[in-house]
Protein backbone atom coordinates (compact mmCIF):
# COMPACT_ATOMS: atom_id res chain seq x y z
CA UNK A 1 0.00 0.00 0.00
CA UNK A 2 1.99 3.09 0.95
CA UNK A 3 3.77 5.21 3.45
CA UNK A 4 6.69 6.79 5.10
CA UNK A 5 4.44 8.01 7.76
CA UNK A 6 2.53 7.82 4.69
CA UNK A 7 4.48 7.82 1.46
CA UNK A 8 1.67 8.91 -0.73
CA UNK A 9 -0.32 6.37 -2.57
CA UNK A 10 0.78 8.67 -5.25
CA UNK A 11 1.28 12.32 -5.32
CA UNK A 12 -0.90 12.06 -8.33
CA UNK A 13 -4.29 13.55 -8.40
CA UNK A 14 -3.87 16.69 -6.72
CA UNK A 15 -0.82 18.53 -7.24
CA UNK A 16 -3.80 20.69 -7.91
CA UNK A 17 -1.91 23.70 -6.79
CA UNK A 18 0.49 23.43 -9.68
CA UNK A 19 -2.60 23.71 -11.83
CA UNK A 20 -4.23 26.49 -9.83
CA UNK A 21 -1.03 28.40 -9.09
CA UNK A 22 0.57 28.44 -5.67
CA UNK A 23 2.05 31.78 -4.80
CA UNK A 24 2.54 33.35 -1.38
CA UNK A 25 0.33 32.66 1.58
CA UNK A 26 -2.59 34.96 0.80
CA UNK A 27 -4.02 36.72 -2.22
CA UNK A 28 -6.20 39.77 -2.61
CA UNK A 29 -9.94 39.73 -2.20
CA UNK A 30 -11.55 37.46 -4.79
CA UNK A 31 -14.62 38.18 -6.95
CA UNK A 32 -16.63 36.43 -4.25
CA UNK A 33 -15.62 39.08 -1.72
CA UNK A 34 -13.52 36.63 0.31
CA UNK A 35 -9.83 36.60 1.10
CA UNK A 36 -8.33 33.28 0.03
CA UNK A 37 -5.76 31.97 2.46
CA UNK A 38 -3.17 29.43 1.28
CA UNK A 39 -1.44 27.12 3.72
CA UNK A 40 1.06 24.30 3.31
CA UNK A 41 3.18 22.10 5.54
CA UNK A 42 4.56 18.61 6.15
CA UNK A 43 2.38 15.74 7.31
CA UNK A 44 2.15 11.97 6.95
CA UNK A 45 5.47 11.69 5.12
CA UNK A 46 4.25 14.05 2.42
CA UNK A 47 2.74 17.55 2.46
CA UNK A 48 -0.58 19.27 2.73
CA UNK A 49 -1.83 22.20 0.64
CA UNK A 50 -4.95 24.09 1.61
CA UNK A 51 -6.88 27.03 0.19
CA UNK A 52 -9.98 28.56 1.72
CA UNK A 53 -12.03 31.71 1.42
CA UNK A 54 -12.68 33.73 4.55
CA UNK A 55 -13.96 37.29 4.82
CA UNK A 56 -11.58 37.98 7.72
CA UNK A 57 -8.63 36.09 6.22
CA UNK A 58 -8.17 34.06 9.42
CA UNK A 59 -5.17 31.76 9.78
CA UNK A 60 -6.19 28.26 10.91
CA UNK A 61 -2.77 26.66 10.43
CA UNK A 62 -2.04 26.06 14.15
CA UNK A 63 -5.36 24.25 14.56
CA UNK A 64 -4.80 22.25 11.37
CA UNK A 65 -1.29 21.22 12.39
CA UNK A 66 -2.57 20.17 15.82
CA UNK A 67 -5.33 18.08 14.25
CA UNK A 68 -2.99 16.34 11.81
CA UNK A 69 -0.52 15.58 14.61
CA UNK A 70 -3.34 14.01 16.64
CA UNK A 71 -4.41 11.84 13.69
CA UNK A 72 -0.81 10.69 13.13
CA UNK A 73 -0.54 9.71 16.79
CA UNK A 74 -3.34 7.23 16.24
CA UNK A 75 -2.93 5.84 12.70
CA UNK A 76 0.77 6.12 11.78
CA UNK A 77 2.70 2.85 11.81
CA UNK A 78 5.89 4.94 11.86
CA UNK A 79 5.26 6.16 15.40
CA UNK A 80 6.00 3.37 17.90
CA UNK A 81 3.61 4.81 20.49
CA UNK A 82 0.70 5.41 18.10
CA UNK A 83 -2.57 3.59 18.67
CA UNK A 84 -2.15 1.41 15.60
CA UNK A 85 1.45 0.53 16.54
CA UNK A 86 0.36 -0.46 20.03
CA UNK A 87 -2.33 -2.69 18.51
CA UNK A 88 0.26 -4.23 16.18
CA UNK A 89 2.57 -4.88 19.12
CA UNK A 90 -0.18 -6.50 21.22
CA UNK A 91 -0.15 -10.29 21.46
CA UNK A 92 -3.88 -10.87 21.50
CA UNK A 93 -6.08 -8.23 23.23
CA UNK A 94 -6.16 -4.47 22.72
CA UNK A 95 -8.38 -2.27 24.89
CA UNK A 96 -9.73 0.75 22.99
CA UNK A 97 -10.41 2.48 26.30
CA UNK A 98 -14.06 3.31 25.70
CA UNK A 99 -17.42 1.72 25.03
CA UNK A 100 -19.75 2.04 22.06
CA UNK A 101 -22.13 4.20 24.09
CA UNK A 102 -19.35 6.70 24.86
CA UNK A 103 -18.25 6.73 21.23
CA UNK A 104 -21.72 7.07 19.70
CA UNK A 105 -22.64 9.92 22.06
CA UNK A 106 -19.29 11.68 21.50
CA UNK A 107 -18.41 11.39 25.19
CA UNK A 108 -14.76 10.56 24.49
CA UNK A 109 -12.05 11.50 22.00
CA UNK A 110 -9.76 8.65 23.02
CA UNK A 111 -8.57 6.66 19.98
CA UNK A 112 -11.37 8.26 17.95
CA UNK A 113 -9.32 8.62 14.76
CA UNK A 114 -8.07 5.03 14.96
CA UNK A 115 -11.58 3.71 15.56
CA UNK A 116 -13.12 5.63 12.67
CA UNK A 117 -10.50 4.18 10.35
CA UNK A 118 -11.10 0.71 11.78
CA UNK A 119 -14.88 0.91 11.27
CA UNK A 120 -14.60 2.18 7.70
CA UNK A 121 -11.98 -0.45 6.90
CA UNK A 122 -14.54 -3.07 7.98
CA UNK A 123 -17.12 -1.66 5.58
CA UNK A 124 -14.70 -1.40 2.68
CA UNK A 125 -13.32 -4.89 3.28
CA UNK A 126 -16.82 -6.32 2.97
CA UNK A 127 -17.85 -4.24 -0.06
CA UNK A 128 -14.71 -5.23 -2.00
CA UNK A 129 -14.82 -8.92 -1.08
CA UNK A 130 -11.55 -8.61 0.80
CA UNK A 131 -9.55 -6.80 -1.87
CA UNK A 132 -9.31 -3.94 0.58
CA UNK A 133 -7.34 -5.69 3.30
CA UNK A 134 -6.15 -3.62 6.28
CA UNK A 135 -4.19 -6.55 7.78
CA UNK A 136 -1.77 -6.47 4.82
CA UNK A 137 1.06 -4.96 6.93
CA UNK A 138 3.24 -8.12 7.30
CA UNK A 139 3.37 -8.42 3.51
CA UNK A 140 3.98 -4.70 2.97
CA UNK A 141 6.97 -4.98 5.31
CA UNK A 142 8.27 -8.08 3.53
CA UNK A 143 8.28 -6.32 0.16
CA UNK A 144 10.13 -3.30 1.59
CA UNK A 145 7.33 -0.72 1.55
CA UNK A 146 6.33 -0.71 5.22
CA UNK A 147 7.67 0.72 8.45
CA UNK A 148 10.57 -1.75 8.62
CA UNK A 149 13.82 -1.18 6.72
CA UNK A 150 13.09 -0.10 3.18
CA UNK A 151 15.11 -2.27 0.83
CA UNK A 152 14.30 -4.31 -2.27
CA UNK A 153 13.73 -8.03 -1.85
CA UNK A 154 16.96 -9.65 -3.03
CA UNK A 155 15.46 -13.09 -3.55
CA UNK A 156 11.77 -13.89 -3.41
CA UNK A 157 11.06 -16.42 -0.68
CA UNK A 158 7.73 -18.08 -1.50
CA UNK A 159 7.72 -19.93 1.82
CA UNK A 160 8.09 -16.67 3.77
CA UNK A 161 5.28 -15.09 1.76
CA UNK A 162 3.06 -18.11 2.40
CA UNK A 163 3.86 -17.90 6.13
CA UNK A 164 2.96 -14.22 6.25
CA UNK A 165 -0.26 -14.89 4.37
CA UNK A 166 -1.42 -16.77 7.50
CA UNK A 167 -1.19 -13.47 9.40
CA UNK A 168 -3.40 -11.67 6.86
CA UNK A 169 -7.19 -11.56 6.98
CA UNK A 170 -9.58 -9.18 8.70
CA UNK A 171 -11.39 -12.19 10.13
CA UNK A 172 -8.40 -12.54 12.46
CA UNK A 173 -9.45 -9.35 14.30
CA UNK A 174 -12.69 -9.38 16.29
CA UNK A 175 -14.33 -6.58 18.26
CA UNK A 176 -16.02 -7.53 21.54
CA UNK A 177 -17.30 -5.78 24.65
CA UNK A 178 -15.35 -6.51 27.82
CA UNK A 179 -17.39 -8.38 30.42
CA UNK A 180 -18.17 -6.19 33.43
CA UNK A 181 -16.98 -3.04 31.68
CA UNK A 182 -18.32 -1.12 28.74
CA UNK A 183 -14.93 -1.15 27.02
CA UNK A 184 -14.49 -2.30 23.44
CA UNK A 185 -11.70 -4.81 22.86
CA UNK A 186 -10.01 -5.83 19.64
CA UNK A 187 -8.99 -9.50 19.78
CA UNK A 188 -6.34 -11.00 17.50
CA UNK A 189 -6.48 -14.69 16.72
CA UNK A 190 -2.85 -14.49 15.54
CA UNK A 191 -0.28 -12.37 17.42
CA UNK A 192 1.49 -11.54 14.14
CA UNK A 193 -1.58 -9.93 12.58
CA UNK A 194 -1.06 -6.19 12.09
CA UNK A 195 -3.24 -3.36 10.83
CA UNK A 196 -2.34 -0.80 8.18
CA UNK A 197 -4.76 2.07 7.43
CA UNK A 198 -2.44 3.84 5.00
CA UNK A 199 -4.84 3.29 2.08
CA UNK A 200 -7.49 5.43 3.79
CA UNK A 201 -5.69 7.51 6.43
CA UNK A 202 -4.71 10.45 4.20
CA UNK A 203 -8.22 10.63 2.80
CA UNK A 204 -9.56 10.55 6.35
CA UNK A 205 -7.21 13.39 7.36
CA UNK A 206 -8.37 15.46 4.37
CA UNK A 207 -12.00 15.02 5.48
CA UNK A 208 -11.17 15.93 9.08
CA UNK A 209 -9.41 19.14 8.03
CA UNK A 210 -12.44 19.98 5.91
CA UNK A 211 -14.72 19.45 8.92
CA UNK A 212 -12.49 21.75 10.98
CA UNK A 213 -12.77 24.49 8.36
CA UNK A 214 -16.53 24.08 8.13
CA UNK A 215 -16.79 24.33 11.93
CA UNK A 216 -15.19 27.78 11.58
CA UNK A 217 -17.78 28.85 9.01
CA UNK A 218 -15.69 28.17 5.88
CA UNK A 219 -17.73 27.08 2.85
CA UNK A 220 -15.23 27.49 0.00
CA UNK A 221 -12.07 25.44 0.35
CA UNK A 222 -9.73 22.86 -1.11
CA UNK A 223 -7.69 20.46 1.04
CA UNK A 224 -5.01 18.18 -0.41
CA UNK A 225 -2.67 15.75 1.35
CA UNK A 226 -0.25 13.81 -0.84
CA UNK A 227 -2.62 13.95 -3.80
CA UNK A 228 -5.86 13.05 -1.99
CA UNK A 229 -8.13 16.04 -2.38
CA UNK A 230 -11.51 17.40 -1.37
CA UNK A 231 -13.07 20.58 -2.75
CA UNK A 232 -16.06 22.55 -1.55
CA UNK A 233 -17.67 25.66 -2.97
CA UNK A 234 -15.66 27.85 -5.36
CA UNK A 235 -12.04 28.88 -5.81
CA UNK A 236 -10.63 32.40 -5.59
CA UNK A 237 -11.76 33.12 -9.15
CA UNK A 238 -15.32 32.26 -8.30
CA UNK A 239 -15.06 29.04 -10.34
CA UNK A 240 -15.33 25.32 -9.66
CA UNK A 241 -12.03 23.86 -8.47
CA UNK A 242 -9.84 22.25 -11.17
CA UNK A 243 -7.83 19.14 -10.23
CA UNK A 244 -5.20 17.57 -12.46
CA UNK A 245 -4.72 13.81 -12.83
CA UNK A 246 -1.05 13.09 -13.44
CA UNK A 247 0.11 11.28 -16.58
CA UNK A 248 0.94 7.73 -15.35
CA UNK A 249 4.62 7.56 -16.26
CA UNK A 250 7.58 7.42 -13.86
CA UNK A 251 9.30 10.28 -15.72
CA UNK A 252 6.22 12.50 -15.92
CA UNK A 253 6.43 15.89 -14.22
CA UNK A 254 3.91 16.55 -11.48
CA UNK A 255 2.34 19.23 -13.68
CA UNK A 256 2.00 16.80 -16.59
CA UNK A 257 -1.72 16.10 -16.54
CA UNK A 258 -3.56 13.54 -18.62
CA UNK A 259 -6.99 14.79 -17.51
CA UNK A 260 -8.39 17.76 -15.59
CA UNK A 261 -11.40 17.21 -13.34
CA UNK A 262 -13.84 19.94 -12.30
CA UNK A 263 -14.63 19.19 -8.69
CA UNK A 264 -17.48 20.75 -6.72
CA UNK A 265 -18.43 19.51 -3.26
CA UNK A 266 -16.66 16.20 -3.90
CA UNK A 267 -13.35 14.44 -3.31
CA UNK A 268 -10.86 12.68 -5.56
CA UNK A 269 -8.05 10.19 -4.92
CA UNK A 270 -5.76 8.30 -7.28
CA UNK A 271 -3.90 5.02 -6.88
CA UNK A 272 -1.23 3.66 -9.20
CA UNK A 273 2.04 1.76 -9.47
CA UNK A 274 4.30 4.06 -11.46
CA UNK A 275 5.74 6.31 -8.72
CA UNK A 276 6.47 4.04 -5.78
CA UNK A 277 8.23 0.88 -6.95
CA UNK A 278 11.62 -0.72 -7.44
CA UNK A 279 13.07 -2.98 -10.11
CA UNK A 280 15.00 -6.17 -9.49
CA UNK A 281 16.44 -8.34 -12.27
CA UNK A 282 14.29 -6.52 -14.79
CA UNK A 283 11.07 -7.09 -12.84
CA UNK A 284 9.02 -4.24 -11.41
CA UNK A 285 7.68 -4.47 -7.84
CA UNK A 286 5.13 -1.86 -6.79
CA UNK A 287 3.97 -0.82 -3.32
CA UNK A 288 0.39 -2.03 -3.88
CA UNK A 289 0.16 -5.60 -2.60
CA UNK A 290 -2.58 -8.00 -3.65
CA UNK A 291 -3.91 -9.63 -0.44
CA UNK A 292 -5.17 -12.63 -2.42
CA UNK A 293 -1.69 -13.55 -3.69
CA UNK A 294 0.75 -11.85 -1.31
CA UNK A 295 2.61 -10.34 -4.26
CA UNK A 296 2.75 -6.77 -5.61
CA UNK A 297 -0.09 -6.23 -8.05
CA UNK A 298 1.10 -6.50 -11.63
CA UNK A 299 -1.15 -5.75 -14.58
CA UNK A 300 -1.58 -3.34 -17.49
CA UNK A 301 -3.54 -1.03 -15.19
CA UNK A 302 -1.54 2.14 -14.48
CA UNK A 303 -3.79 4.25 -12.30
CA UNK A 304 -7.32 4.54 -10.96
CA UNK A 305 -8.87 7.87 -9.96
CA UNK A 306 -12.04 7.83 -7.88
CA UNK A 307 -14.47 10.68 -7.19
CA UNK A 308 -16.74 10.32 -4.16
CA UNK A 309 -18.61 12.49 -1.69
CA UNK A 310 -15.77 12.23 0.85
CA UNK A 311 -12.03 11.67 0.50
CA UNK A 312 -11.74 8.64 2.76
CA UNK A 313 -14.14 6.76 0.50
CA UNK A 314 -12.36 7.90 -2.66
CA UNK A 315 -8.99 6.95 -1.15
CA UNK A 316 -10.02 3.44 -0.15
CA UNK A 317 -11.80 2.58 -3.38
CA UNK A 318 -8.93 3.89 -5.54
CA UNK A 319 -6.60 1.32 -3.96
CA UNK A 320 -9.26 -1.41 -3.98
CA UNK A 321 -10.13 -0.96 -7.67
CA UNK A 322 -6.45 -0.97 -8.59
CA UNK A 323 -5.85 -4.25 -6.76
CA UNK A 324 -8.99 -5.79 -8.26
CA UNK A 325 -7.81 -4.94 -11.76
CA UNK A 326 -9.24 -3.33 -14.85
CA UNK A 327 -12.21 -5.65 -15.35
CA UNK A 328 -13.31 -6.58 -11.84
CA UNK A 329 -12.54 -3.15 -10.39
CA UNK A 330 -14.44 -1.36 -13.14
CA UNK A 331 -17.43 -3.65 -12.76
CA UNK A 332 -17.68 -2.80 -9.04
CA UNK A 333 -17.17 0.91 -9.71
CA UNK A 334 -20.11 0.86 -12.12
CA UNK A 335 -22.38 -0.75 -9.52
CA UNK A 336 -21.60 1.51 -6.56
CA UNK A 337 -23.74 4.56 -5.91
CA UNK A 338 -22.09 8.00 -5.67
CA UNK A 339 -18.81 6.63 -7.00
CA UNK A 340 -17.23 7.60 -10.31
CA UNK A 341 -13.90 6.24 -11.53
CA UNK A 342 -11.33 6.71 -14.29
CA UNK A 343 -9.07 3.76 -15.19
CA UNK A 344 -5.88 4.42 -17.19
CA UNK A 345 -4.08 1.38 -18.59
CA UNK A 346 -1.27 0.61 -21.01
CA UNK A 347 -2.02 -0.79 -24.44
CA UNK A 348 0.12 -3.09 -26.57
CA UNK A 349 1.16 -0.22 -28.85
CA UNK A 350 2.50 1.74 -25.86
CA UNK A 351 -0.33 4.25 -25.73
CA UNK A 352 -2.73 4.85 -22.86
CA UNK A 353 -6.20 3.41 -22.79
CA UNK A 354 -8.92 5.11 -20.75
CA UNK A 355 -12.08 3.63 -19.33
CA UNK A 356 -14.45 5.61 -17.16
CA UNK A 357 -17.75 5.09 -15.39
CA UNK A 358 -20.89 6.61 -16.87
CA UNK A 359 -20.75 10.05 -15.27
CA UNK A 360 -17.01 10.62 -14.89
CA UNK A 361 -16.76 12.23 -18.33
CA UNK A 362 -19.22 14.93 -17.29
CA UNK A 363 -16.67 16.18 -14.72
CA UNK A 364 -13.77 16.49 -17.16
CA UNK A 365 -12.61 19.86 -18.39
CA UNK A 366 -12.55 19.99 -22.17
CA UNK A 367 -10.41 22.55 -23.96
Amino acid sequence: MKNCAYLSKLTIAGWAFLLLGWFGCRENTSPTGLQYVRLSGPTMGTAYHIQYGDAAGRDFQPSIDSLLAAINLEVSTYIDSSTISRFNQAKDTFDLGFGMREYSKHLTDRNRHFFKNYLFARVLHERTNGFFEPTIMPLVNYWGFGYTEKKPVEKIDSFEIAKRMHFVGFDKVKMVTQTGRDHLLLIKSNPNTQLDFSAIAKGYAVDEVGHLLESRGIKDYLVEIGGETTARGLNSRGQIWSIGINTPRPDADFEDFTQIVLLKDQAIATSGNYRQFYEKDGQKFSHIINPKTGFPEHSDLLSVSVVADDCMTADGYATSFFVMGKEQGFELAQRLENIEALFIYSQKDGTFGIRMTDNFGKMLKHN
Side-chain angles (χ1 to χ4, degrees), residues 295-308:
F295 282 76
E297 181 60 21
H298 181 73
S299 70
D300 59 357
L301 191 57
L302 299 174
S303 73
V304 180
S305 296
V306 174
V307 173

Side-chain angles (χ1 to χ4, degrees), residues 32 45 86 110 143 189 231 331:
T32 63
R86 288 187 287 112
R110 185 176 183 182
W143 288 104
S189 62
E331 190 275 331

Side-chain angles (χ1 to χ4, degrees), residues 82-231:
S82 71
T83 305
I84 196 167
S85 292
R86 288 187 287 112
F87 169 87
N88 289 344
Q89 295 158 11
K91 291 183 178 180
D92 48 27
T93 303
F94 183 76
D95 188 344
L96 286 168
F98 58 83
M100 186 58 77
R101 176 180 174 278
E102 289 178 274
Y103 174 78
S104 61
K105 293 190 175 183
H106 307 286
L107 300 177
T108 180
D109 285 333
R110 185 176 183 182
N111 295 327
R112 175 173 64 92
H113 302 300
F114 171 87
F115 194 51
K116 283 186 175 181
N117 278 262
Y118 173 83
L119 291 178
F120 184 70
R122 279 281 177 205
V123 172
L124 204 54
H125 180 266
E126 182 177 343
R127 289 179 180 173
T128 62
N129 193 30
F131 279 96
F132 181 86
E133 180 50 76
T135 62
I136 197 75
M137 194 80 255
L139 289 167
V140 176
N141 282 333
Y142 173 80
W143 288 104
F145 296 106
Y147 61 80
T148 55
E149 183 181 0
K150 287 179 168 48
K151 62 179 182 179
V153 173
E154 295 297 325
K155 183 179 180 181
I156 297 174
D157 186 341
S158 298
F159 291 103
E160 179 63 22
I161 294 170
K163 183 179 77 173
R164 294 188 181 220
M165 286 289 285
H166 289 293
F167 311 153
V168 175
F170 218 179
D171 60 329
K172 295 175 173 62
V173 181
K174 303 293 185 184
M175 185 171 68
V176 301
T177 300
Q178 186 177 17
T179 304
R181 300 176 67 191
D182 188 28
H183 275 199
L184 293 171
L185 305 177
L186 297 182
I187 310 294
K188 297 188 204 179
S189 62
N190 189 310
N192 295 304
T193 296
Q194 297 184 3
L195 290 172
D196 176 16
F197 295 147
S198 58
I200 54 176
K202 290 204 309 297
Y204 171 79
V206 167
D207 291 335
E208 289 294 293
V209 172
H211 296 156
L212 184 154
L213 292 174
E214 290 175 11
S215 74
R216 307 297 175 88
I218 304 301
K219 297 180 180 179
D220 301 284
Y221 65 84
L222 186 146
V223 179
E224 177 263 341
I225 299 178
E228 326 302 20
T229 307
T230 191

Side-chain angles (χ1 to χ4, degrees), residues 9-10 12-13 227-228 245-246 248 258 268-274 288 297 299-307 314-330 333 339-345 353 355-357 360:
K9 183 167 21 353
L10 290 173
I12 309 182
E228 326 302 20
I245 297 176
N246 200 206
T258 185
I268 187 169
T270 299
S271 185
N273 65 2
Y274 58 92
I288 300 178
E297 181 60 21
S299 70
D300 59 357
L301 191 57
L302 299 174
S303 73
V304 180
S305 296
V306 174
V307 173
D315 201 5
Y317 276 120
T319 296
S320 301
F321 294 158
F322 191 91
V323 174
M324 295 173 79
K326 185 174 62 179
E327 301 302 328
Q328 195 172 355
F330 186 82
I339 294 290
E340 299 297 334
L342 174 75
F343 290 63
I344 302 178
Y345 55 94
R355 193 177 186 187
M356 64 185 76
T357 53
F360 198 99

